[in-house]
Amino acid sequence: MRKRLSLLLVPLVAAATLVSVGAPAAARPAKPFPARIALPNGFTPEGLTIGRGTTVYVGSVLDGAVWRGDLRTGRGSVLIPGTPGTAKAGIKLDTQGRLWTADFSGGGASVYDPGTGARLAHYQFTTDPNSLVNDLVVTKRAIYFTDSTRPVLYVVPLAPGGRLPAPDAFRVLPLTEPGATPDAFNNGIVALPNGDLLVAQMLTGQLVRVDPRTGDSRLFDLGGYSVDRADGLVLRGRTLHVIRNLTNVIAVVRLNAGYTAGVVQREITGPQLRSPATGDLLGSALYVVNGRFDVESTPSTDYDIVRVPA
C-alpha cells in the first residue's frame, strides 16, 4: 500500500511543483514602460528618435552629445561624448540603421554608427555663422534638412543601395513663396505619403508643403488654427502630431486624403510637458523630449523623456 501511494504521489508532487514554479511567471503581468525617463542633468536635449526595438536616441543642443537608452527599462548612457562648441538638433535613423544628426550651429550634418557611436560621414552645408541646421527627414532616396535662418533645404541624396555619398554630394534647395517667409524659423519636417514635404514654421505658426524637387511651397490649411512655437513634427498615416515647445501643447491633426489640409482633433497638455522639443512613436505611445527652453540650462538642470497617449 505504501509503495502504491508513493508511486501515485510522486507524479502529483512533480506536477504541482511545475505548476507552482511555472504559473506565476506565465501569469505575471508585463511591467509597464516608465512614463518618465530621466536624462543626465545639464544635458540640454533637442532631438529624439526611436530605433530598433525599444532603443531611443537623444541629442544635445549644448555640446553635441548623444544619449542612448531603453524605453522599457528607462536606463541609458552617453553613446557619443559631447564636444564644447558643437551642437546637435534633430536626429533620425535611416533605412540602413545609420544615425543622422542635424548639427545646428555647425552648419552641417553627421552620420554615426548607432551601435558604436563612430562617425561615418560628415556633410558641411554652409559656413554661414548664423545658420541653424535644425531638423531632418529621411526618405528612400534622400535626407532633407531645414535651416531655421535661411530659406533653403539641404538635400543629401543616397547612393544606390542606400550607400553614403561623397562629402560634397549634397545640394542646396532654395524655397519659394511661404517657405521663404523672412524670420519664419523653419523647424520640424516630415515627408507626406504623396511625396511632398511638410515644414513647421515656428514663429509664423504655419505649416507649409514643399515640393522636394523644386522648392515651391504652399500653405497647409489648418482651418485658421495656429501652430505657434511648432517645433517637432511626428507623422503616422494621416495623423500628425505638432509639438509646440513653449506653449506646452501637442496638437493632434487629422490630414485629408490629399494631404493638403488638416483638422485639429485635440490638444495634449499637462504638467509633464516642459517645453517639449520633438518626439517619436512606439506603438500607441508618443515619446517626447522636454527641452525646457523656458529656463536657463545649468549643469544641475534636470531633463527627461515623457510618454503620452498618441
Side-chain angles (χ1 to χ4, degrees):
M1 180 66 72
R2 288 179 180 174
K3 187 174 182 181
R4 288 180 180 177
L5 284 173
S6 63
L7 290 174
L8 289 170
L9 288 173
V10 166
L12 289 174
V13 171
T17 302
L18 288 173
V19 171
S20 65
V21 171
R28 187 181 300 123
K31 185 178 179 181
F33 284 24
R36 176 185 180 273
I37 297 174
L39 295 170
N41 283 355
F43 190 76
T44 318
E46 213 285 342
L48 176 149
T49 192
I50 297 173
R52 180 176 298 179
T54 55
T55 305
V56 63
Y57 300 86
V58 179
S60 170
V61 79
L62 174 68
D63 62 6
V66 173
W67 181 91
R68 180 178 62 189
D70 190 323
L71 296 173
R72 182 183 298 277
T73 65
R75 295 191 294 269
S77 60
V78 172
L79 171 68
I80 301 171
T83 302
T86 67
K88 287 181 175 59
I91 63 174
K92 292 289 189 298
L93 290 153
D94 67 14
T95 56
Q96 306 296 316
R98 298 170 298 224
L99 186 67
W100 291 72
T101 66
D103 292 347
F104 204 53
S105 55
S110 299
V111 191
Y112 296 89
D113 183 308
T116 66
R119 192 164 83 165
L120 305 176
H122 178 73
Y123 302 91
Q124 189 64 45
F125 303 138
T126 178
T127 56
D128 182 349
N130 297 314
S131 169
L132 294 177
V133 183
N134 203 327
D135 207 354
L136 68 149
V137 64
V138 175
T139 71
K140 291 181 180 180
R141 297 183 178 181
I143 319 296
Y144 297 86
F145 297 81
T146 59
D147 190 320
S148 295
T149 63
R150 305 180 70 201
V152 301
L153 295 180
Y154 304 112
V155 187
V156 181
L158 295 173
R163 297 192 308 273
L164 294 173
D168 60 351
F170 64 86
R171 66 188 177 105
V172 179
L173 179 65
L175 300 178
T176 65
E177 302 300 330
T181 300
D183 301 320
F185 207 90
N186 292 340
N187 203 333
I189 181 171
V190 292
L192 296 170
N194 67 355
D196 285 345
L197 304 173
L198 192 63
V199 175
Q201 294 189 327
M202 193 175 78
L203 298 185
T204 66
Q206 300 178 148
L207 302 179
V208 294
R209 289 186 295 125
V210 177
D211 185 321
R213 298 165 300 172
T214 65
D216 293 341
S217 67
R218 298 181 180 179
L219 286 180
F220 186 83
D221 183 8
L222 288 173
Y225 181 85
S226 172
V227 288
D228 176 51
R229 296 291 167 177
D231 197 332
L233 300 179
V234 182
L235 178 67
R236 176 189 283 172
R238 286 168 55 190
T239 300
L240 175 72
H241 292 83
V242 183
I243 300 168
R244 302 171 52 199
N245 52 39
L246 289 175
T247 66
N248 294 315
V249 168
I250 301 171
V252 183
V253 184
R254 181 65 175 173
L255 309 187
N256 66 3
Y259 301 100
T260 59
V263 176
V264 177
Q265 295 183 317
R266 63 191 178 99
E267 292 182 335
I268 300 172
T269 61
Q272 77 275 26
L273 300 180
R274 300 185 295 168
S275 295
T278 191
D280 203 355
L281 289 160
L282 180 66
S284 61
L286 175 67
Y287 286 87
V288 298
V289 61
N290 281 317
R292 303 203 65 190
F293 304 126
D294 57 337
V295 300
E296 182 180 355
S297 181
T298 71
S300 61
T301 303
D302 70 289
Y303 295 97
D304 57 9
I305 302 167
V306 294
R307 188 186 75 237
V308 298

